[in-house]
Amino acid sequence: MPIIVQKFGGTSVGSVTKIKNVARRVMEEVERGNDVVVVVSAMGKTTDELVTMAKEITDNPSKREMDMLLSTGEQVTISLLTMALLEQGQQTISFTGWQAGIQTEAVHSNARILQIDTKRMEAELQAGKVVVVAGFQGVDEEGNITTLGRGGSDTTAVALAAALKAQRCDIYTDVTGVFTTDPRYIKDARKLLSVSYDEMLELANLGAGVLHPRAVEFAKNYHIPLEVRSSMEKESGTIIEEEATMEENLIVRGIAFEDKITRVTVFGLPRTLSTLSTIFTTLAKHHINVDIIIQTMTSEETTNLSFSIKSEALQEALQVLESNKPNLEFERIETEDGLAKVSIVGSGMVSNPGVAAEMFEVMANTGIQVKMVSTSEIKVSTVINEKEMVKAVEALHVAFNLGAHSKTLA
């Protein structure tokens, strides 16, 4: 029988009542004659509550022990959902990440999946059982529990769909699909019928929280059809596929934004061919991701380097840079916090020059200063003051005719 992977996020399993609703959604898929694997997140704000408890004990908790702690959240959900399915007469078994055969690299708090041994899951599916798997977690080769980072349950679901050669993967969430921007902030945001893998990957990387970037990477690499849909409303969602339909010929398909961004400027670096590779290799070895990069030549001997980073990673980044100062040979570091990143995304931008210019014109007319810029074939990202983030998104949403009531829409 075809295998369907379903993933339910924290808001979808936030209470016993909601877990019973998830069980009904699972049973609907079983009744269609499919084998079903269900991946679930921790209930509601459980992960945040666990993090808060840890920080009441220490300001610098061990990453290994944080993985041990946070992985318990999903274990609660898989047990309760399995009980709910058993209560409906459906044979079901729950697995933690390691029981499901998910092996990861030995990196705590942000591990990548290396391989999945599906033998045990396949045996249970053949026995007629629904398999419920804890998302967000795995095990390294030493037997240590690891976690995949925020949003990692999406990655678990798509990776399982690839490993099991599933027919599709359904991502159930608290929204009805992928919108032109976050409808919690922009009331006129509109649900898209489809989005390409590349567009969704950019949106996810740039702050759209509806899907985890690595989940989209898996889906693209293994050609897994994804549908983002509501766990409560019985309506079609947004299809993530290789080539999205040319919906209303939109050049810009979506606007992503992210707050809590900090700009780091490293002054007085030696002006050599290896400067960039040395500094970013040093940060990468500590799994610190940087984003928009600007280099400024100050003299024949020195150069300054600015890059944006998530504020939560700032202290670790500064520690790494300072501890490697003799090797990097910089003079000093300055930081600017209170920033946000606002980005426009659309595959139509490739064949339509002038989109970036229009974005900058909108920003200027709205009185918003652009501090950093990054572009690719299908996106333009800007770093601005955090206080002006929503104002920028509102203005761009109108300018590019993305609203539900836009005159350009059918």
Side-chain angles (χ1 to χ4, degrees):
M1 291 190 290
I3 298 174
I4 305 297
V5 176
Q6 298 178 311
K7 181 264 176 178
F8 293 88
T11 54
S12 301
V13 293
S15 66
V16 170
T17 299
K18 289 184 176 182
I19 287 173
K20 289 179 178 180
N21 175 67
V22 167
R24 288 191 288 271
R25 299 303 293 264
V26 174
M27 289 304 299
E28 289 170 5
E29 203 63 65
V30 171
E31 289 163 2
R32 293 188 185 101
N34 296 312
D35 285 335
V36 181
V37 175
V38 188
V39 176
V40 291
S41 301
M43 295 174 64
K45 299 292 184 180
T46 299
T47 300
D48 292 336
E49 292 167 358
L50 293 171
V51 169
T52 298
M53 284 192 285
K55 290 189 174 179
E56 288 176 0
I57 294 174
T58 173
D59 291 331
N60 188 28
S62 157
K63 287 188 175 182
R64 180 188 187 278
E65 298 312 317
M66 284 301 294
D67 279 359
M68 289 288 286
L69 176 66
L70 299 182
S71 64
T72 63
E74 282 71 22
Q75 193 166 336
V76 171
T77 315
I78 60 173
S79 301
L80 292 174
L81 178 56
T82 298
M83 292 176 191
L85 287 165
L86 290 170
E87 192 67 14
Q88 294 194 32
Q90 172 61 46
Q91 294 185 76
T92 313
I93 187 168
S94 65
F95 288 148
T96 61
W98 69 268
Q99 289 175 318
I102 300 172
Q103 185 178 339
T104 75
E105 60 186 356
V107 175
H108 289 293
S109 80
N110 197 30
R112 290 179 176 270
I113 296 173
L114 298 177
Q115 61 182 13
I116 301 177
D117 184 346
T118 60
K119 293 187 183 68
R120 191 172 181 187
M121 284 186 289
E122 289 173 340
E124 299 294 355
L125 288 171
Q126 289 172 7
K129 295 180 183 178
V130 167
V131 176
V132 181
V133 179
F136 174 67
Q137 61 183 250
V139 64
D140 68 18
E141 60 181 5
E142 299 295 328
N144 297 302
I145 291 175
T146 57
T147 63
L148 310 182
R150 285 286 187 177
S153 292
D154 290 344
T155 306
T156 301
V158 182
L160 287 177
L164 292 164
K165 297 180 173 58
Q167 186 177 80
R168 71 172 193 276
C169 179
D170 293 337
I171 307 292
Y172 288 88
T173 181
D174 57 344
V175 294
T176 57
V178 178
F179 283 71
T180 49
T181 194
D182 192 332
R184 293 173 298 179
Y185 292 84
I186 308 300
K187 299 303 180 186
D188 199 34
R190 182 175 60 88
K191 185 174 76 175
L192 295 165
L193 300 179
S194 65
V195 179
S196 72
Y197 290 131
D198 288 337
E199 288 172 328
M200 193 66 243
L201 188 56
E202 289 283 16
L203 289 167
N205 275 315
L206 295 168
V210 69
L211 273 176
H212 194 272
R214 272 183 273 165
V216 185
E217 285 180 6
F218 263 110
K220 177 179 171 62
N221 292 338
Y222 293 94
H223 307 289
I224 304 297
L226 293 181
E227 183 171 359
V228 178
R229 57 192 307 183
S230 169
S231 60
M232 301 301 293
E233 305 294 332
K234 292 188 179 180
E235 63 177 86
S236 59
T238 301
I239 303 295
I240 317 298
E241 54 192 354
E242 190 64 46
E243 293 294 335
T245 56
M246 291 303 292
E247 187 175 2
E248 289 89 28
N249 296 313
L250 293 176
I251 297 172
V252 173
R253 304 276 300 223
I255 301 173
F257 54 95
E258 185 176 16
D259 60 4
K260 296 181 175 60
I261 299 295
T262 297
R263 177 167 64 179
V264 178
T265 303
V266 185
F267 291 91
L269 285 160
R271 187 173 170 180
T272 65
L273 293 175
S274 62
T275 294
L276 289 176
S277 63
T278 301
I279 194 167
F280 291 118
T281 298
T282 301
L283 292 167
K285 285 180 179 177
H286 291 81
H287 306 283
I288 297 170
N289 293 320
V290 302
D291 192 13
I292 300 175
I293 302 168
I294 297 175
Q295 185 178 19
T296 307
M297 304 299 183
T298 55
S299 71
E300 291 184 1
E301 291 80 26
T302 63
T303 183
N304 298 338
L305 188 66
S306 295
F307 57 87
S308 63
I309 192 171
K310 291 184 179 180
S311 298
E312 64 187 23
L314 176 62
Q315 290 307 312
E316 186 176 3
L318 293 178
Q319 290 171 7
V320 169
L321 292 173
E322 290 291 349
S323 64
N324 287 275
K325 188 173 183 178
N327 183 41
L328 298 174
E329 301 180 79
F330 60 85
E331 293 174 2
R332 71 184 193 279
I333 298 175
E334 292 183 4
T335 63
E336 181 183 4
D337 58 10
L339 302 178
K341 182 169 60 176
V342 176
S343 310
I344 58 173
V345 176
S347 56
M349 292 164 61
V350 176
S351 55
N352 287 274
V355 177
E358 185 176 352
M359 180 183 191
F360 301 144
E361 183 179 2
V362 170
M363 294 289 211
N365 291 339
T366 315
I368 297 171
Q369 181 186 6
V370 175
K371 295 175 178 287
M372 304 178 80
V373 177
S374 174
T375 65
S376 74
E377 287 187 333
I378 65 169
K379 65 97 174 172
V380 181
S381 293
T382 60
V383 172
I384 62 175
N385 283 324
E386 189 175 86
K387 292 179 181 178
E388 297 178 317
M389 180 181 74
V390 176
K391 182 169 71 171
V393 176
E394 288 174 338
L396 292 168
H397 202 259
V398 172
F400 289 107
N401 300 310
L402 296 178
H405 302 97
S406 169
K407 293 180 181 179
T408 65
L409 301 181

